[in-house]
Amino acid sequence: MDLQLAASVAPLLGWAVPGGILTRRLATARCDPLTGLHTRAGWTARAEHLIRRHPTAAVLLVDLDHFKTLNDSHGHAAGDAALAATADRLRSWCGCHGIAGRLGGDEFVAVVRDLAAADLDALTAALHRPLPYAGTALPLAASVGACLVAELPVPSLTDALAAADAAMYAAKGRGRRGSRTSR
């Protein structure tokens, strides 16, 4: 190799390797390792984009019911399996019409382009299917709150999350295992 060429290429390689490592680390930080869903940071930018482009968008907040009891009764590996199954069901329900994320713990979030087309009842049913685990069926349940962005005075992700959170707590107040849309 020509010495002059090597001298000009060496600095580029010096920046390329750390740049590749940094890119991988940033991607990992935006993806929850247990569920494969976007973390809050990774989900937020995508959700804001969907809300801007789709006036019929809806924001959902999903909270597993009795998760601590499941963990205490069946162990943390069963709890991890329940979180992964919930993520898979939410991701599948969103399909190509939205995006799902994990806020942390047993809280999940999603935004879909059109809630009427996405069928909230189908999501609720999917989230309540028992999970086969270690020869038994783990009972799963979730409370879901939804906010139609078009019903907000100003369509913002922050306000939609707050309304979805209130709707989710209203669903929990009705005995859990259900969903509710903000009004």
Side-chain angles (χ1 to χ4, degrees), residues 108-131:
F108 297 86
V109 68
V111 63
V112 290
R113 294 177 189 156
D114 183 1
L115 188 59
D119 190 3
L120 186 56
D121 291 335
L123 173 62
T124 303
L127 294 175
H128 292 100
R129 272 195 335 263
L131 173 66

Side-chain angles (χ1 to χ4, degrees), residues 95-169:
C96 62
H97 304 289
I99 188 156
R102 180 177 178 207
L103 294 181
D106 63 340
E107 287 189 336
F108 297 86
V109 68
V111 63
V112 290
R113 294 177 189 156
D114 183 1
L115 188 59
D119 190 3
L120 186 56
D121 291 335
L123 173 62
T124 303
L127 294 175
H128 292 100
R129 272 195 335 263
L131 173 66
Y133 178 80
T136 188
L138 296 177
L140 293 186
S143 296
V144 180
C147 172
L148 302 170
V149 176
E151 293 182 358
L152 295 172
V154 176
S156 76
L157 181 59
T158 302
D159 291 345
L161 281 169
D165 190 48
M168 186 265 302
Y169 276 104

Side-chain angles (χ1 to χ4, degrees), residues 38-106:
H38 294 283
T39 60
R40 181 187 299 257
W43 179 82
T44 299
R46 290 167 175 83
E48 287 175 341
H49 177 77
L50 276 173
I51 287 171
R52 278 192 307 274
R53 294 195 61 205
H54 301 281
T56 58
V59 173
L60 286 79
L61 200 60
V62 176
D63 187 71
L64 293 182
D65 296 334
H66 312 293
F67 183 70
K68 182 177 179 351
T69 302
L70 185 141
N71 253 347
D72 291 347
S73 300
H74 300 280
H76 291 285
D80 287 352
L83 293 172
T86 299
D88 289 343
R89 294 170 186 185
L90 186 57
R91 181 186 303 107
S92 176
W93 179 78
C94 284
C96 62
H97 304 289
I99 188 156
R102 180 177 178 207
L103 294 181
D106 63 340

